[in-house]
Amino acid sequence: MGGHELLHPTSSPFAALLLFLCLLEFCCKVDDVIVHGFPLHQIDSGLIEEKSILVPDTSLISTPQPFIPLLAPSPMTPFFSNSTPKLSGRCTLNFSAVDSLISTTAVDCLSSFAPLLANVICCPQFQAMLVILIGQSSKNTGMLALDSTQANYCLLDYQQILESRGASGNLEQICSIHPLNLTEGSCPVNDISEFESAIDSSKLLLACERVDAVNECCSQICQNAIREAATKIALRDGGLTSMDISNNLPEHYSRIDGCRSIVLRWLSSRLDPLSAKHVLRRISNCNVNEACPLVFPDTTKVTEYCGNRIKNNTACCSAMDNYVSHLQKQSFITNLQALDCASLLGLKLQKMNVTTNIYSFCQITLKDFSLQESGCLLPSLPSDAMFDPSSGISFTCDLNDNIAAPWPSASGAPTSFCNKSVNLPELPAATSAHIAENEKDMKLPLLIALLVVLQMLS
Ligand SMILES: *[C@@H]1O[C@H](CO)[C@@H](O)[C@H](O)[C@H]1NC(C)=O
Ligand SMILES: *[C@@H]1O[C@H](CO)[C@@H](O)[C@H](O)[C@H]1NC(C)=O
Ligand SMILES: *[C@@H]1O[C@H](CO)[C@@H](O)[C@H](O)[C@H]1NC(C)=O
Ligand SMILES: *[C@@H]1O[C@H](CO)[C@@H](O)[C@H](O)[C@H]1NC(C)=O
Ligand SMILES: *[C@@H]1O[C@H](CO)[C@@H](O)[C@H](O)[C@H]1NC(C)=O
């Protein structure tokens, strides 16, 4: 991913402002528009989280200050409140009914930072917002999908509104959303009454009205209910039979996928917008944490110096450092994604005859897989970015990130976080107390799982 793309001037005044300030005062190489974090001071166990401030980096000076001069209030405020979006006037979605959530989305997808937060924060929120918009408007229209004309106008208007609040002008591409994603796709059901006659809606609502942020990814209570409902409506009208579904054909998947959107919109119509957002984001977190979003460049240089028997330690580790520095330009990732990435890269290297644990040999930590050194790993349950006119954009980091990256075991079988037969070791008492004190206990189970895996792999 080239930094020039990130800085490409968009129609957003905020992006223009950034670019201007960049040119004016700061060097404008891609690599420099990244994160300026507070020092990630690690207290005892380090199981705490802190904010990181996302602003153009001054590179040389690394004072642990929020970046006030650049994002001072006076030039910022007008861009965030006064720009009026040019709307088509032909989209019937009620954007004002979900105004505060739209602002949240705009901050999550803020101008040139959107690609850096795309996978974990921006796109999940952008997509959830579309589901909620259609779900809420279905209360008036009775429809759980837009027709294709509406879909075009509404997506344009949505993008315009977000852009007027500082968001990137390129979200359709960044998040691969197409107007068709707002229609029913190939799902045979698109209105509320047919939907409710086809499924057990109270059962679905019960499973999903309160999604447990920590346990849902393993228990899959809501996700199973959604899958079941989507499959059931995909079977309507005889177009698809249970036999077809067991045959696993791609077109059947896409049909069930389309129906899944219908189910999510219906759920969003049954909840208030904020609760709907929590449900949708918690479900999407499960998918986010399942895969490493990084693109791995060619590993030839690393295998050349680190493969078979390492002849020159310095050359091997400098090849590895150089390799990792390319990963660090890509995006922010969560701690669990970093584990996925470490495992994926480790297996790739092992296939190329790198037998030494070069993560430990070259002191590669989990944090090294996320954006840039002073950046951070996001927690496994990432929260929204926040905007403060005086300090810029900030989001929560997981400070538990200086852990050595785990070198995958030769057997290659990844340890499932959800395997109940894995014994959890006792955490040191001080750690638990510390977490409780900071009211971070919600996150404890996932962090324990993380520690277990690290221990098993080391
Ligand atoms: C849109 O939502 C707002 C806020 O909930 C409400 O006041 C307004 O009447 C709605 N407009 C339409 C056309 O439904
Ligand atoms: C939108 O639809 C396209 C084509 O049907 C699909 O490939 C893509 O994954 C969808 N995007 C989302 C976010 O669901
Ligand atoms: C090891 O590699 C470094 C850097 O590539 C080089 O400067 C050094 O001379 C090499 N050492 C040996 C013993 O080959
Ligand atoms: C790995 O080593 C084996 C045996 O030493 C060799 O046959 C194979 O070609 C090597 N593979 C690579 C990718 O270097
Ligand atoms: C859970 O872990 C145990 C022991 O590591 C293993 O034998 C078992 O197959 C695992 N179960 C699943 C479902 O992965």
Side-chain angles (χ1 to χ4, degrees), residues 45-88:
S45 65
L47 288 175
I48 53 169
E49 295 182 342
E50 204 175 276
K51 305 276 165 162
S52 178
I53 300 286
L54 183 65
V55 287
D57 185 15
T58 49
S59 286
L60 295 176
I61 320 153
S62 59
T63 44
Q65 299 286 321
F67 205 78
I68 295 166
L70 177 62
L71 299 177
S74 49
M76 285 305 290
T77 318
F79 293 116
F80 274 84
S81 47
N82 288 355
S83 160
T84 313
K86 281 200 210 64
L87 301 185
S88 68

mmCIF file of all heavy atoms in Angstrom, residues 45-88:
data_model
loop_
_atom_site.group_PDB
_atom_site.id
_atom_site.type_symbol
_atom_site.label_atom_id
_atom_site.label_comp_id
_atom_site.label_asym_id
_atom_site.label_seq_id
_atom_site.Cartn_x
_atom_site.Cartn_y
_atom_site.Cartn_z
ATOM 1 N N SER A 45 1.723 -6.099 34.995
ATOM 2 C CA SER A 45 1.332 -7.086 34.009
ATOM 3 C C SER A 45 1.142 -6.461 32.634
ATOM 4 O O SER A 45 1.209 -7.132 31.624
ATOM 5 C CB SER A 45 0.017 -7.712 34.424
ATOM 6 O OG SER A 45 -0.971 -6.708 34.378
ATOM 7 N N GLY A 46 0.894 -5.178 32.612
ATOM 8 C CA GLY A 46 0.670 -4.530 31.334
ATOM 9 C C GLY A 46 -0.716 -4.785 30.777
ATOM 10 O O GLY A 46 -0.990 -4.468 29.636
ATOM 11 N N LEU A 47 -1.596 -5.360 31.559
ATOM 12 C CA LEU A 47 -2.937 -5.630 31.033
ATOM 13 C C LEU A 47 -3.822 -4.396 31.171
ATOM 14 O O LEU A 47 -4.859 -4.410 31.804
ATOM 15 C CB LEU A 47 -3.570 -6.797 31.773
ATOM 16 C CG LEU A 47 -2.986 -8.167 31.457
ATOM 17 C CD1 LEU A 47 -3.610 -9.205 32.349
ATOM 18 C CD2 LEU A 47 -3.230 -8.508 30.007
ATOM 19 N N ILE A 48 -3.378 -3.323 30.595
ATOM 20 C CA ILE A 48 -4.210 -2.130 30.639
ATOM 21 C C ILE A 48 -4.240 -1.528 29.259
ATOM 22 O O ILE A 48 -3.474 -1.893 28.385
ATOM 23 C CB ILE A 48 -3.679 -1.087 31.637
ATOM 24 C CG1 ILE A 48 -2.209 -0.801 31.314
ATOM 25 C CG2 ILE A 48 -3.829 -1.560 33.049
ATOM 26 C CD1 ILE A 48 -1.669 0.387 32.047
ATOM 27 N N GLU A 49 -5.114 -0.603 29.082
ATOM 28 C CA GLU A 49 -5.238 -0.015 27.767
ATOM 29 C C GLU A 49 -5.113 1.492 27.875
ATOM 30 O O GLU A 49 -5.398 2.087 28.885
ATOM 31 C CB GLU A 49 -6.593 -0.383 27.181
ATOM 32 C CG GLU A 49 -6.671 -1.871 26.970
ATOM 33 C CD GLU A 49 -7.967 -2.303 26.340
ATOM 34 O OE1 GLU A 49 -8.916 -1.513 26.392
ATOM 35 O OE2 GLU A 49 -8.000 -3.396 25.790
ATOM 36 N N GLU A 50 -4.668 2.063 26.817
ATOM 37 C CA GLU A 50 -4.518 3.508 26.838
ATOM 38 C C GLU A 50 -4.841 4.087 25.478
ATOM 39 O O GLU A 50 -4.866 3.397 24.479
ATOM 40 C CB GLU A 50 -3.088 3.854 27.228
ATOM 41 C CG GLU A 50 -2.987 5.230 27.820
ATOM 42 C CD GLU A 50 -1.581 5.483 28.303
ATOM 43 O OE1 GLU A 50 -1.269 5.072 29.426
ATOM 44 O OE2 GLU A 50 -0.820 6.072 27.539
ATOM 45 N N LYS A 51 -5.039 5.361 25.460
ATOM 46 C CA LYS A 51 -5.363 5.994 24.182
ATOM 47 C C LYS A 51 -4.107 6.224 23.365
ATOM 48 O O LYS A 51 -3.049 6.490 23.892
ATOM 49 C CB LYS A 51 -5.997 7.373 24.437
ATOM 50 C CG LYS A 51 -7.170 7.327 25.327
ATOM 51 C CD LYS A 51 -8.398 6.991 24.544
ATOM 52 C CE LYS A 51 -9.475 6.595 25.533
ATOM 53 N NZ LYS A 51 -10.781 6.630 25.017
ATOM 54 N N SER A 52 -4.276 6.143 22.095
ATOM 55 C CA SER A 52 -3.198 6.577 21.228
ATOM 56 C C SER A 52 -3.767 7.697 20.374
ATOM 57 O O SER A 52 -4.909 7.664 19.967
ATOM 58 C CB SER A 52 -2.748 5.433 20.343
ATOM 59 O OG SER A 52 -1.742 5.880 19.485
ATOM 60 N N ILE A 53 -2.958 8.669 20.135
ATOM 61 C CA ILE A 53 -3.446 9.802 19.359
ATOM 62 C C ILE A 53 -2.945 9.655 17.930
ATOM 63 O O ILE A 53 -1.759 9.453 17.696
ATOM 64 C CB ILE A 53 -2.916 11.117 19.954
ATOM 65 C CG1 ILE A 53 -3.391 11.271 21.392
ATOM 66 C CG2 ILE A 53 -3.347 12.295 19.119
ATOM 67 C CD1 ILE A 53 -4.834 11.616 21.545
ATOM 68 N N LEU A 54 -3.835 9.758 17.009
ATOM 69 C CA LEU A 54 -3.491 9.545 15.614
ATOM 70 C C LEU A 54 -3.334 10.880 14.897
ATOM 71 O O LEU A 54 -4.302 11.571 14.635
ATOM 72 C CB LEU A 54 -4.606 8.737 14.945
ATOM 73 C CG LEU A 54 -4.445 8.321 13.503
ATOM 74 C CD1 LEU A 54 -3.309 7.361 13.348
ATOM 75 C CD2 LEU A 54 -5.726 7.674 13.026
ATOM 76 N N VAL A 55 -2.106 11.238 14.664
ATOM 77 C CA VAL A 55 -1.856 12.488 13.958
ATOM 78 C C VAL A 55 -0.586 12.317 13.152
ATOM 79 O O VAL A 55 0.189 11.416 13.401
ATOM 80 C CB VAL A 55 -1.641 13.668 14.925
ATOM 81 C CG1 VAL A 55 -2.921 14.088 15.575
ATOM 82 C CG2 VAL A 55 -0.605 13.313 15.953
ATOM 83 N N PRO A 56 -0.359 13.195 12.184
ATOM 84 C CA PRO A 56 0.892 13.104 11.461
ATOM 85 C C PRO A 56 2.080 13.144 12.425
ATOM 86 O O PRO A 56 2.102 13.923 13.370
ATOM 87 C CB PRO A 56 0.869 14.336 10.573
ATOM 88 C CG PRO A 56 -0.573 14.561 10.341
ATOM 89 C CD PRO A 56 -1.257 14.177 11.625
ATOM 90 N N ASP A 57 3.020 12.314 12.164
ATOM 91 C CA ASP A 57 4.149 12.149 13.055
ATOM 92 C C ASP A 57 5.240 13.140 12.693
ATOM 93 O O ASP A 57 5.508 13.398 11.538
ATOM 94 C CB ASP A 57 4.673 10.722 12.869
ATOM 95 C CG ASP A 57 5.783 10.392 13.837
ATOM 96 O OD1 ASP A 57 5.958 11.136 14.805
ATOM 97 O OD2 ASP A 57 6.460 9.381 13.588
ATOM 98 N N THR A 58 5.871 13.719 13.703
ATOM 99 C CA THR A 58 6.963 14.620 13.409
ATOM 100 C C THR A 58 8.278 13.876 13.297
ATOM 101 O O THR A 58 9.322 14.480 13.101
ATOM 102 C CB THR A 58 7.094 15.691 14.502
ATOM 103 O OG1 THR A 58 7.081 15.025 15.754
ATOM 104 C CG2 THR A 58 5.969 16.684 14.439
ATOM 105 N N SER A 59 8.223 12.567 13.421
ATOM 106 C CA SER A 59 9.377 11.703 13.201
ATOM 107 C C SER A 59 10.513 11.868 14.201
ATOM 108 O O SER A 59 10.815 10.975 14.956
ATOM 109 C CB SER A 59 9.942 11.874 11.800
ATOM 110 O OG SER A 59 9.076 11.239 10.918
ATOM 111 N N LEU A 60 11.128 13.015 14.206
ATOM 112 C CA LEU A 60 12.330 13.166 15.016
ATOM 113 C C LEU A 60 11.998 13.411 16.479
ATOM 114 O O LEU A 60 12.595 12.846 17.370
ATOM 115 C CB LEU A 60 13.192 14.305 14.484
ATOM 116 C CG LEU A 60 13.739 14.038 13.083
ATOM 117 C CD1 LEU A 60 14.500 15.243 12.558
ATOM 118 C CD2 LEU A 60 14.629 12.804 13.085
ATOM 119 N N ILE A 61 11.031 14.278 16.690
ATOM 120 C CA ILE A 61 10.689 14.597 18.067
ATOM 121 C C ILE A 61 9.635 13.608 18.528
ATOM 122 O O ILE A 61 8.566 13.531 17.956
ATOM 123 C CB ILE A 61 10.064 15.998 18.166
ATOM 124 C CG1 ILE A 61 10.816 16.952 17.238
ATOM 125 C CG2 ILE A 61 10.035 16.490 19.588
ATOM 126 C CD1 ILE A 61 9.972 18.106 16.754
ATOM 127 N N SER A 62 9.944 12.849 19.553
ATOM 128 C CA SER A 62 8.908 11.926 19.998
ATOM 129 C C SER A 62 8.477 12.263 21.404
ATOM 130 O O SER A 62 8.537 11.458 22.309
ATOM 131 C CB SER A 62 9.386 10.481 19.899
ATOM 132 O OG SER A 62 10.533 10.336 20.707
ATOM 133 N N THR A 63 8.067 13.480 21.601
ATOM 134 C CA THR A 63 7.549 13.873 22.902
ATOM 135 C C THR A 63 6.188 13.230 23.087
ATOM 136 O O THR A 63 5.406 13.176 22.160
ATOM 137 C CB THR A 63 7.380 15.399 22.993
ATOM 138 O OG1 THR A 63 6.777 15.840 21.788
ATOM 139 C CG2 THR A 63 8.700 16.077 23.202
ATOM 140 N N PRO A 64 5.921 12.723 24.268
ATOM 141 C CA PRO A 64 4.665 12.021 24.493
ATOM 142 C C PRO A 64 3.503 12.978 24.714
ATOM 143 O O PRO A 64 2.761 12.849 25.648
ATOM 144 C CB PRO A 64 4.963 11.192 25.750
ATOM 145 C CG PRO A 64 5.986 11.997 26.481
ATOM 146 C CD PRO A 64 6.770 12.740 25.446
ATOM 147 N N GLN A 65 3.353 13.936 23.851
ATOM 148 C CA GLN A 65 2.292 14.933 24.000
ATOM 149 C C GLN A 65 1.203 14.660 22.978
ATOM 150 O O GLN A 65 1.491 14.216 21.890
ATOM 151 C CB GLN A 65 2.852 16.327 23.699
ATOM 152 C CG GLN A 65 3.962 16.755 24.610
ATOM 153 C CD GLN A 65 3.449 17.120 25.977
ATOM 154 O OE1 GLN A 65 2.398 17.717 26.088
ATOM 155 N NE2 GLN A 65 4.170 16.737 27.013
ATOM 156 N N PRO A 66 -0.015 14.963 23.337
ATOM 157 C CA PRO A 66 -1.018 14.947 22.277
ATOM 158 C C PRO A 66 -0.635 16.012 21.251
ATOM 159 O O PRO A 66 0.052 16.979 21.588
ATOM 160 C CB PRO A 66 -2.322 15.304 22.987
ATOM 161 C CG PRO A 66 -1.964 15.661 24.375
ATOM 162 C CD PRO A 66 -0.536 15.333 24.620
ATOM 163 N N PHE A 67 -1.072 15.789 20.043
ATOM 164 C CA PHE A 67 -0.531 16.605 18.973
ATOM 165 C C PHE A 67 -1.337 17.876 18.781
ATOM 166 O O PHE A 67 -2.017 18.053 17.789
ATOM 167 C CB PHE A 67 -0.525 15.766 17.716
ATOM 168 C CG PHE A 67 0.491 16.216 16.743
ATOM 169 C CD1 PHE A 67 1.823 15.886 16.930
ATOM 170 C CD2 PHE A 67 0.139 16.969 15.648
ATOM 171 C CE1 PHE A 67 2.773 16.298 16.034
ATOM 172 C CE2 PHE A 67 1.088 17.378 14.757
ATOM 173 C CZ PHE A 67 2.401 17.043 14.945
ATOM 174 N N ILE A 68 -1.254 18.766 19.711
ATOM 175 C CA ILE A 68 -2.156 19.913 19.704
ATOM 176 C C ILE A 68 -1.940 20.914 18.559
ATOM 177 O O ILE A 68 -2.884 21.315 17.922
ATOM 178 C CB ILE A 68 -2.135 20.623 21.068
ATOM 179 C CG1 ILE A 68 -2.707 19.655 22.098
ATOM 180 C CG2 ILE A 68 -2.953 21.897 21.050
ATOM 181 C CD1 ILE A 68 -2.458 20.038 23.512
ATOM 182 N N PRO A 69 -0.704 21.293 18.255
ATOM 183 C CA PRO A 69 -0.537 22.352 17.271
ATOM 184 C C PRO A 69 -1.222 22.074 15.938
ATOM 185 O O PRO A 69 -1.865 22.938 15.378
ATOM 186 C CB PRO A 69 0.982 22.417 17.078
ATOM 187 C CG PRO A 69 1.550 21.802 18.299
ATOM 188 C CD PRO A 69 0.554 20.811 18.783
ATOM 189 N N LEU A 70 -1.111 20.839 15.460
ATOM 190 C CA LEU A 70 -1.660 20.556 14.146
ATOM 191 C C LEU A 70 -3.182 20.591 14.130
ATOM 192 O O LEU A 70 -3.798 21.164 13.251
ATOM 193 C CB LEU A 70 -1.188 19.187 13.674
ATOM 194 C CG LEU A 70 -1.775 18.761 12.338
ATOM 195 C CD1 LEU A 70 -1.339 19.726 11.257
ATOM 196 C CD2 LEU A 70 -1.377 17.359 12.010
ATOM 197 N N LEU A 71 -3.784 19.956 15.129
ATOM 198 C CA LEU A 71 -5.229 19.850 15.097
ATOM 199 C C LEU A 71 -5.878 20.833 16.070
ATOM 200 O O LEU A 71 -6.771 20.491 16.816
ATOM 201 C CB LEU A 71 -5.657 18.421 15.405
ATOM 202 C CG LEU A 71 -5.150 17.374 14.422
ATOM 203 C CD1 LEU A 71 -5.558 15.987 14.855
ATOM 204 C CD2 LEU A 71 -5.629 17.650 13.022
ATOM 205 N N ALA A 72 -5.376 22.050 16.062
ATOM 206 C CA ALA A 72 -5.938 23.074 16.938
ATOM 207 C C ALA A 72 -7.399 23.321 16.582
ATOM 208 O O ALA A 72 -7.800 23.147 15.452
ATOM 209 C CB ALA A 72 -5.141 24.355 16.794
ATOM 210 N N PRO A 73 -8.193 23.725 17.577
ATOM 211 C CA PRO A 73 -9.636 23.804 17.373
ATOM 212 C C PRO A 73 -10.066 24.743 16.247
ATOM 213 O O PRO A 73 -10.890 24.378 15.440
ATOM 214 C CB PRO A 73 -10.160 24.327 18.704
ATOM 215 C CG PRO A 73 -9.047 24.209 19.665
ATOM 216 C CD PRO A 73 -7.779 24.069 18.906
ATOM 217 N N SER A 74 -9.494 25.916 16.197
ATOM 218 C CA SER A 74 -10.068 26.889 15.268
ATOM 219 C C SER A 74 -10.108 26.439 13.803
ATOM 220 O O SER A 74 -11.159 26.554 13.190
ATOM 221 C CB SER A 74 -9.370 28.244 15.416
ATOM 222 O OG SER A 74 -7.974 28.061 15.387
ATOM 223 N N PRO A 75 -9.037 25.887 13.258
ATOM 224 C CA PRO A 75 -9.186 25.492 11.858
ATOM 225 C C PRO A 75 -10.014 24.220 11.677
ATOM 226 O O PRO A 75 -10.535 23.973 10.616
ATOM 227 C CB PRO A 75 -7.742 25.243 11.408
ATOM 228 C CG PRO A 75 -6.985 24.965 12.642
ATOM 229 C CD PRO A 75 -7.693 25.667 13.754
ATOM 230 N N MET A 76 -10.125 23.419 12.730
ATOM 231 C CA MET A 76 -10.801 22.141 12.575
ATOM 232 C C MET A 76 -12.315 22.260 12.620
ATOM 233 O O MET A 76 -13.015 21.679 11.814
ATOM 234 C CB MET A 76 -10.386 21.199 13.716
ATOM 235 C CG MET A 76 -9.022 20.644 13.568
ATOM 236 S SD MET A 76 -8.840 19.845 11.995
ATOM 237 C CE MET A 76 -9.879 18.427 12.272
ATOM 238 N N THR A 77 -12.785 22.982 13.617
ATOM 239 C CA THR A 77 -14.203 22.951 13.923
ATOM 240 C C THR A 77 -15.106 23.181 12.714
ATOM 241 O O THR A 77 -16.022 22.404 12.496
ATOM 242 C CB THR A 77 -14.521 23.948 15.050
ATOM 243 O OG1 THR A 77 -13.479 23.812 16.021
ATOM 244 C CG2 THR A 77 -15.847 23.672 15.675
ATOM 245 N N PRO A 78 -14.837 24.231 11.908
ATOM 246 C CA PRO A 78 -15.733 24.468 10.781
ATOM 247 C C PRO A 78 -15.860 23.265 9.856
ATOM 248 O O PRO A 78 -16.932 22.970 9.374
ATOM 249 C CB PRO A 78 -15.075 25.627 10.036
ATOM 250 C CG PRO A 78 -14.031 26.158 10.914
ATOM 251 C CD PRO A 78 -13.750 25.159 11.970
ATOM 252 N N PHE A 79 -14.764 22.549 9.653
ATOM 253 C CA PHE A 79 -14.812 21.431 8.736
ATOM 254 C C PHE A 79 -15.705 20.319 9.257
ATOM 255 O O PHE A 79 -16.215 19.522 8.522
ATOM 256 C CB PHE A 79 -13.415 20.877 8.497
ATOM 257 C CG PHE A 79 -12.553 21.849 7.767
ATOM 258 C CD1 PHE A 79 -11.433 22.389 8.370
ATOM 259 C CD2 PHE A 79 -12.886 22.251 6.488
ATOM 260 C CE1 PHE A 79 -10.650 23.291 7.703
ATOM 261 C CE2 PHE A 79 -12.101 23.151 5.811
ATOM 262 C CZ PHE A 79 -10.976 23.681 6.422
ATOM 263 N N PHE A 80 -15.841 20.279 10.573
ATOM 264 C CA PHE A 80 -16.589 19.171 11.122
ATOM 265 C C PHE A 80 -18.053 19.471 11.336
ATOM 266 O O PHE A 80 -18.830 18.577 11.554
ATOM 267 C CB PHE A 80 -15.953 18.699 12.426
ATOM 268 C CG PHE A 80 -14.882 17.713 12.135
ATOM 269 C CD1 PHE A 80 -13.618 18.136 11.802
ATOM 270 C CD2 PHE A 80 -15.182 16.371 12.106
ATOM 271 C CE1 PHE A 80 -12.644 17.224 11.490
ATOM 272 C CE2 PHE A 80 -14.218 15.447 11.781
ATOM 273 C CZ PHE A 80 -12.942 15.879 11.480
ATOM 274 N N SER A 81 -18.439 20.754 11.314
ATOM 275 C CA SER A 81 -19.844 21.002 11.594
ATOM 276 C C SER A 81 -20.550 21.743 10.455
ATOM 277 O O SER A 81 -21.738 21.596 10.282
ATOM 278 C CB SER A 81 -19.980 21.792 12.896
ATOM 279 O OG SER A 81 -19.083 22.872 12.889
ATOM 280 N N ASN A 82 -19.805 22.479 9.664
ATOM 281 C CA ASN A 82 -20.487 23.414 8.781
ATOM 282 C C ASN A 82 -20.651 22.996 7.329
ATOM 283 O O ASN A 82 -21.417 23.582 6.604
ATOM 284 C CB ASN A 82 -19.769 24.768 8.799
ATOM 285 C CG ASN A 82 -20.016 25.472 10.116
ATOM 286 O OD1 ASN A 82 -20.773 24.984 10.934
ATOM 287 N ND2 ASN A 82 -19.361 26.612 10.311
ATOM 288 N N SER A 83 -19.900 22.000 6.924
ATOM 289 C CA SER A 83 -19.977 21.636 5.529
ATOM 290 C C SER A 83 -21.335 20.986 5.239
ATOM 291 O O SER A 83 -21.775 20.089 5.949
ATOM 292 C CB SER A 83 -18.826 20.686 5.210
ATOM 293 O OG SER A 83 -19.105 19.974 4.056
ATOM 294 N N THR A 84 -22.020 21.460 4.223
ATOM 295 C CA THR A 84 -23.340 20.922 3.912
ATOM 296 C C THR A 84 -23.226 19.914 2.782
ATOM 297 O O THR A 84 -22.715 20.236 1.714
ATOM 298 C CB THR A 84 -24.289 22.058 3.456
ATOM 299 O OG1 THR A 84 -24.140 23.125 4.384
ATOM 300 C CG2 THR A 84 -25.721 21.583 3.421
ATOM 301 N N PRO A 85 -23.688 18.699 3.012
ATOM 302 C CA PRO A 85 -23.578 17.694 1.944
ATOM 303 C C PRO A 85 -24.554 17.986 0.813
ATOM 304 O O PRO A 85 -25.649 18.499 1.048
ATOM 305 C CB PRO A 85 -23.965 16.402 2.675
ATOM 306 C CG PRO A 85 -24.796 16.822 3.827
ATOM 307 C CD PRO A 85 -24.311 18.183 4.224
ATOM 308 N N LYS A 86 -24.139 17.695 -0.409
ATOM 309 C CA LYS A 86 -25.051 17.842 -1.555
ATOM 310 C C LYS A 86 -25.770 16.517 -1.746
ATOM 311 O O LYS A 86 -25.178 15.536 -2.179
ATOM 312 C CB LYS A 86 -24.248 18.157 -2.822
ATOM 313 C CG LYS A 86 -23.815 19.598 -2.928
ATOM 314 C CD LYS A 86 -23.487 19.898 -4.394
ATOM 315 C CE LYS A 86 -22.420 20.955 -4.550
ATOM 316 N NZ LYS A 86 -21.099 20.597 -4.016
ATOM 317 N N LEU A 87 -27.030 16.500 -1.410
ATOM 318 C CA LEU A 87 -27.763 15.240 -1.468
ATOM 319 C C LEU A 87 -28.596 15.134 -2.741
ATOM 320 O O LEU A 87 -29.014 16.126 -3.310
ATOM 321 C CB LEU A 87 -28.662 15.100 -0.242
ATOM 322 C CG LEU A 87 -27.931 15.136 1.098
ATOM 323 C CD1 LEU A 87 -28.899 14.867 2.238
ATOM 324 C CD2 LEU A 87 -26.793 14.131 1.124
ATOM 325 N N SER A 88 -28.831 13.906 -3.153
ATOM 326 C CA SER A 88 -29.594 13.681 -4.382
ATOM 327 C C SER A 88 -31.059 14.060 -4.195
ATOM 328 O O SER A 88 -31.751 14.394 -5.142
ATOM 329 C CB SER A 88 -29.501 12.210 -4.780
ATOM 330 O OG SER A 88 -30.197 11.418 -3.820
#
